[in-house]
Amino acid sequence: DKGGSRFCYWSYANGTEEAWQMFSGKMTPYMPYTDNNTTSRCGFDAIVYHLIEEALQERFYVIKESRGGTAIDPRCNSTGNLWWCADADWLSTASPRSGHSLTLEFVENIGLCIDNVLSQLEEGYRIQCIMWHQGEADRTQPAAYHDNLRQLVSYLRACIVEKTGDPSYATLPFIAGTVNRNSTQYNAVVEQAVLQLATEDPNFHVVDMSDCKLGSDVLHFDASGSIDAAQRMFEKLKSLGLLEEEDPTGVSSLPAEGERNSSNACYDLQGRQVANGTAISGKTPDIYIRNGRKILNPSR
């Protein structure tokens, strides 16, 4: 549809200045976007958006961060020299785009979209989940994938807690699709790490895409594989109750305006507010989140 989607509004970033200038902090009707010459293409997530549209029949919003061939671990080759790393030491020297961090760019755009669009909605908003499909580029450091992904999940949740002031986002559902086992870049240790996280974190969910058909490059899904992958992701969203009709964009109660988004507000990785490096529970965390940055506790 050349006019874009009927109900899906999105904001997209991929580590390039071009996409950032076009989409950052703006939410417009979804249209497939590519920076690969002029070839029109889209990932299986485009089909997920279509399925959600058909189910909800009302406006919903997507904030997408994606770059093909990117890794979490900075020791791995990663397209555009961009990484999803959430290690505190690495982040302390990184920045969005030119600073090589997709993680920081994603968090920055989430904040901009909340400020510019979502917080302005009369009906309020509710972030429902993070959908994730990645891992091939980390195949050269597979033993670290479990800890790297777990750290990223915790970091993203904590940043959303900090931005919104809503501690319930500490358990935000994180839904990860697996890689086709016939892919030229499949790694069994990476797959097992994803499956293990689902046993450790009740809010981390796995969608089996191990047999979704691949294209001629034996790497990306072909059309039928993309449809299957999208349908499975959509079914997971439904099974988790994320597409229920009652108030799907409702926002939970927040702190008073003067209390949220304060530069002094800090949160630990479980989403608990932290004051001067000390958790409300009285325990001192090893690290905490302030202004989207993971900060080492100096008392440790």
Side-chain angles (χ1 to χ4, degrees), residues 13-123:
N14 64 5
T16 67
E17 284 295 338
E18 177 191 14
W20 188 253
Q21 294 303 320
M22 289 174 61
F23 294 106
S24 63
K26 310 176 190 73
M27 306 202 81
T28 59
Y30 171 76
M31 286 286 288
Y33 171 82
T34 178
D35 60 355
N36 184 35
N37 298 318
T38 59
T39 303
S40 179
R41 64 179 183 180
C42 59
F44 74 85
D45 58 300
I47 306 170
V48 178
Y49 308 155
H50 172 72
L51 294 171
I52 294 173
E53 282 196 332
E54 294 301 304
L56 293 182
Q57 293 292 305
E58 62 183 21
R59 187 175 295 187
F60 66 98
Y61 299 86
V62 173
I63 304 170
K64 179 175 178 177
E65 182 80 32
S66 177
R67 187 70 177 271
T70 47
I72 300 177
D73 199 315
R75 295 173 296 175
C76 300
N77 290 330
S78 194
T79 302
N81 289 323
L82 295 160
W83 286 271
W84 282 101
C85 183
D87 175 76
D89 290 337
W90 189 86
L91 284 176
S92 69
T93 63
S95 62
R97 296 172 297 289
S98 62
H100 310 299
S101 178
L102 290 170
T103 309
L104 291 178
E105 182 174 80
F106 188 34
V107 169
E108 182 178 357
N109 201 25
I110 291 172
L112 288 171
C113 289
I114 288 175
D115 290 341
N116 297 340
V117 180
L118 301 180
S119 65
Q120 310 302 316
L121 299 175
E122 290 184 4
E123 67 272 25

Side-chain angles (χ1 to χ4, degrees), residues 2-252:
K2 295 184 183 299
S5 296
R6 291 181 298 158
F7 301 115
C8 178
Y9 278 62
W10 80 325
S11 184
Y12 170 68
N14 64 5
T16 67
E17 284 295 338
E18 177 191 14
W20 188 253
Q21 294 303 320
M22 289 174 61
F23 294 106
S24 63
K26 310 176 190 73
M27 306 202 81
T28 59
Y30 171 76
M31 286 286 288
Y33 171 82
T34 178
D35 60 355
N36 184 35
N37 298 318
T38 59
T39 303
S40 179
R41 64 179 183 180
C42 59
F44 74 85
D45 58 300
I47 306 170
V48 178
Y49 308 155
H50 172 72
L51 294 171
I52 294 173
E53 282 196 332
E54 294 301 304
L56 293 182
Q57 293 292 305
E58 62 183 21
R59 187 175 295 187
F60 66 98
Y61 299 86
V62 173
I63 304 170
K64 179 175 178 177
E65 182 80 32
S66 177
R67 187 70 177 271
T70 47
I72 300 177
D73 199 315
R75 295 173 296 175
C76 300
N77 290 330
S78 194
T79 302
N81 289 323
L82 295 160
W83 286 271
W84 282 101
C85 183
D87 175 76
D89 290 337
W90 189 86
L91 284 176
S92 69
T93 63
S95 62
R97 296 172 297 289
S98 62
H100 310 299
S101 178
L102 290 170
T103 309
L104 291 178
E105 182 174 80
F106 188 34
V107 169
E108 182 178 357
N109 201 25
I110 291 172
L112 288 171
C113 289
I114 288 175
D115 290 341
N116 297 340
V117 180
L118 301 180
S119 65
Q120 310 302 316
L121 299 175
E122 290 184 4
E123 67 272 25
Y125 71 95
R126 180 74 191 172
I127 300 172
Q128 296 287 53
C129 68
I130 295 175
M131 294 187 292
W132 178 260
H133 191 246
Q134 181 272 346
E136 299 98 319
D138 282 276
R139 67 191 180 281
T140 60
Q141 298 290 337
Y145 192 74
H146 171 271
D147 290 347
N148 288 340
L149 182 56
R150 180 177 61 181
Q151 187 176 55
L152 177 63
V153 172
S154 295
Y155 179 80
L156 293 176
R157 286 171 172 165
C159 287
I160 294 171
V161 167
E162 181 205 17
K163 177 62 185 177
T164 62
D166 186 343
S168 72
Y169 286 127
T171 57
L172 182 69
F174 196 101
I175 307 172
T178 63
V179 173
N180 186 300
R181 291 174 183 166
N182 292 318
S183 167
T184 56
Q185 297 184 4
Y186 168 78
N187 184 277
V189 177
V190 169
E191 180 186 66
Q192 186 55 44
V194 175
L195 297 174
Q196 182 179 340
L197 280 171
T199 68
E200 299 166 349
D201 180 347
N203 299 294
F204 186 99
H205 308 278
V206 177
V207 176
D208 181 11
M209 300 179 182
S210 62
D211 61 347
C212 292
K213 189 177 177 183
L214 297 173
S216 59
D217 62 1
V218 198
L219 178 61
H220 298 95
F221 297 138
D222 68 5
S224 64
S226 293
I227 292 171
D228 285 345
Q231 187 66 52
R232 295 177 193 186
M233 181 66 74
F234 176 71
E235 292 299 327
K236 178 61 71 174
L237 295 174
K238 285 203 302 183
S239 71
L240 294 174
L242 300 179
L243 299 177
E244 293 177 358
E245 292 185 3
E246 67 270 14
D247 196 18
T249 58
V251 66
S252 61

